[in-house]
Amino acid sequence: AAMLHVIPLSLFFFVVSCCCKGAENANKLLNLLNVILGMLTNILPSILWNFEQDELPDVFASVIHTASSFLSPYYLLPGVLVGVWQAGGGDAYKCNYVKSPDHKYAHECFKVPADADLVYFAGTWVFWAPWVGQTFLCIVLVVAAYWLTAPGKQGSIDSIGSATTLAPDDDDDVKAEEARVRDVAPDQEACLYRNLQHVFRDRTRTVHAVRGIS
């Protein structure tokens, strides 16, 4: 998890950068998401699972843990750590006062057999949720990144730009000026452009800024 958590993060940052109009907008948005997804959702399950009340915090913690596993690209590493912690029986401090198997909360503190091995921990959903959720999220982000950068999409954007290009005005004065510019000698004009075109490359597409201007 420590080595792989950069994959969903990198895909997420790339998709956000493609959706933003500029680097400044992307930076502001990512700073906000770092606080919301990178901090709050990562610590909420741990805080709730540390409460000593009954079932309600545990339910909320499980829901947030599962939702973050599928929706937050920041959650692979913290989710795996929390999953191992909960699959192993939870916090030892919380169960410090539970000494007897007959205690009211013994089902939480003694739910892991003494001879449990890795197979036991791997059989719990709280352990698998980050792996399954982050794999699903990576697939979604790869599809989104491909859709944003695919040549077909660039072509559709260019065709839209071509379709929305203003048609030449049918006014007689415009036609007369067009004919004059087409036939005039360059040495008779201070500045003369014929069929001017300018193309620049955006992050994900080729943009025709000027086409055939005279």
Side-chain angles (χ1 to χ4, degrees):
M3 293 185 293
L4 296 177
H5 79 283
V6 297
I7 297 176
L9 281 175
S10 300
L11 290 170
F12 178 70
F13 292 158
F14 179 75
V15 170
V16 171
S17 66
C18 290
C19 294
C20 293
K21 293 183 179 180
E24 183 178 358
N25 292 336
N27 187 48
K28 291 179 179 178
L29 179 58
L30 287 173
N31 286 335
L32 176 63
L33 293 175
N34 285 337
V35 175
I36 298 175
L37 298 178
M39 184 178 70
L40 296 180
T41 59
N42 289 352
I43 64 175
L44 275 177
S46 299
I47 293 175
L48 291 172
W49 266 316
N50 268 310
F51 283 156
E52 295 186 6
Q53 285 96 332
D54 295 319
E55 293 81 8
L56 194 58
D58 181 72
V59 172
F60 284 146
S62 299
V63 170
I64 295 173
H65 175 68
T66 301
S68 298
S69 297
F70 281 84
L71 301 177
S72 173
Y74 300 79
Y75 199 68
L76 178 58
L77 181 56
V80 169
L81 293 176
V82 170
V84 172
W85 167 50
Q86 281 300 301
D91 192 359
Y93 175 78
K94 176 181 177 181
C95 298
N96 184 51
Y97 62 91
V98 181
K99 303 297 184 181
S100 169
D102 299 326
H103 193 278
K104 179 179 179 181
Y105 301 121
H107 67 283
E108 295 184 28
C109 301
F110 295 97
K111 63 183 179 181
V112 180
D115 59 347
D117 54 10
L118 182 61
V119 176
Y120 174 86
F121 298 116
T124 59
W125 171 247
V126 71
F127 176 86
W128 278 108
W131 296 105
V132 176
Q134 293 294 296
T135 301
F136 169 80
L137 183 59
C138 284
I139 294 173
V140 172
L141 291 173
V142 167
V143 172
Y146 177 79
W147 184 80
L148 290 170
T149 59
K153 180 173 176 56
Q154 296 177 23
S156 63
I157 294 175
D158 290 341
S159 63
I160 293 173
S162 301
T164 56
T165 302
L166 293 178
D169 199 329
D170 293 331
D171 189 89
D172 291 338
D173 293 336
V174 174
K175 290 183 177 180
E177 181 64 18
E178 182 182 358
R180 187 190 73 80
V181 170
R182 184 171 56 248
D183 299 331
V184 70
D187 56 3
Q188 296 180 4
E189 299 292 332
C191 181
L192 178 64
Y193 293 98
R194 284 183 179 144
N195 196 27
L196 179 64
Q197 299 190 37
H198 177 65
V199 178
F200 66 90
R201 178 71 182 175
D202 198 354
R203 289 193 310 272
T204 59
R205 58 198 174 106
T206 299
V207 179
H208 295 268
V210 177
R211 295 185 181 184
I213 300 297
S214 300

